[in-house]
Amino acid sequence: AQTVTQSQPEMSVQEAETVTLSCTYDTSESDYYLFWYKQPPSRQMILVIRQEAYKQQNATENRFSVNFQKAAKSFSLKISDSQLGDAAMYFCAYLRYNNNDMRFGAGTRLTVKP
Amino acid sequence: EAGVVQSPRYKIIEKKQPVAFWCNPISGHNTLYWYLQNLGQGPELLIRYENEEAVDDSQLPKDRFSAERLKGVDSTLKIQPAELGDSAVYLCASSFVQTGELFFGEGSRLTVL
């Protein structure tokens, strides 16, 4: 079974600084997707960034980038120039290719200090 | 384009009472998910539909939970009778097969007293 582990229950960052959220996963598959989702307080979960396992290049979306280490089964999220609006729960998720069974980690609560 | 719509947003009931949640997915999305999210935790899959078929309901407590997705569009999740431990947020999500991305509704927060 695939599992997703987020070892940081809480993280904090100063506004305009950079923070990295960690995620590891366990799978025997070679083709899969990895995602980071953001869930602001009392609001719906939205996609931040996605990575296809067959791509060696790390995904980037504006201030958000990932460090995907396939051999180590590691998928960290880097948020640059942190903003107050980045405060939220962040969930790492795994999806096997050609399968719709999405698995989530327990989440990391990010606080942004002004 | 409308997103995933869930109702009600909030529900407070006494234990042993029934409750139902409704979800309307994004038009054209054939996969629909119901997740349970406890406070401070990640979503846990309850049931997944591909069109009208429930393809994964292994984590659904079938003694008290039931779900249906008539005509492969909207879906209803029911709990009868509710227990104190059912207090949580029930998330609905949908996706188009093989695109990978799930789109979530705002969730239905259940409080059982």
Side-chain angles (χ1 to χ4, degrees), chain A residues 28-44:
Chain A
S28 58
E29 304 292 330
S30 58
D31 293 326
Y32 50 87
Y33 301 96
L34 295 165
F35 304 84
W36 279 98
Y37 277 87
K38 171 185 178 181
Q39 188 178 38
S42 299
R43 296 184 64 184
Q44 68 194 110

Side-chain angles (χ1 to χ4, degrees), chain B residues 5-67:
Chain B
V5 179
Q6 289 188 247
S7 69
R9 286 291 314 278
Y10 304 92
K11 188 74 175 180
I12 301 173
I13 61 172
E14 299 282 336
K15 64 180 180 181
K16 300 185 181 180
Q17 294 299 306
V19 63
F21 304 111
W22 175 81
C23 173
N24 185 253
I26 292 174
S27 177
H29 282 194
N30 54 337
T31 304
L32 184 146
Y33 308 74
W34 282 103
Y35 284 92
L36 168 70
Q37 186 177 26
N38 288 305
L39 186 64
Q41 297 184 23
E44 299 172 20
L45 183 69
L46 288 172
I47 189 168
R48 172 167 57 96
Y49 284 93
E50 301 287 350
N51 299 305
E52 301 91 350
E53 182 183 1
V55 297
D56 185 354
D57 63 355
S58 58
Q59 300 304 311
L60 189 72
K62 298 180 183 62
D63 57 335
R64 297 184 300 106
F65 286 65
S66 64

Side-chain angles (χ1 to χ4, degrees), chain A residues 30-77:
Chain A
S30 58
D31 293 326
Y32 50 87
Y33 301 96
L34 295 165
F35 304 84
W36 279 98
Y37 277 87
K38 171 185 178 181
Q39 188 178 38
S42 299
R43 296 184 64 184
Q44 68 194 110
M45 198 172 306
I46 58 173
L47 180 67
V48 174
I49 197 165
R50 61 181 280 169
Q51 174 82 40
E52 288 87 347
Y54 69 87
K55 291 185 177 179
Q56 293 185 344
Q57 186 172 7
N58 289 323
T60 299
E61 289 288 341
N62 300 312
R63 299 183 294 106
F64 299 87
S65 62
V66 299
N67 183 4
F68 173 47
Q69 301 290 327
K70 191 172 184 179
K73 297 179 183 177
S74 171
F75 183 61
S76 61
L77 174 69

Side-chain angles (χ1 to χ4, degrees), chain B residues 80-94:
Chain B
Q80 182 171 11
E83 297 179 352
L84 295 176
D86 296 331
S87 295
V89 176
Y90 292 84
L91 296 172
C92 180
S94 70

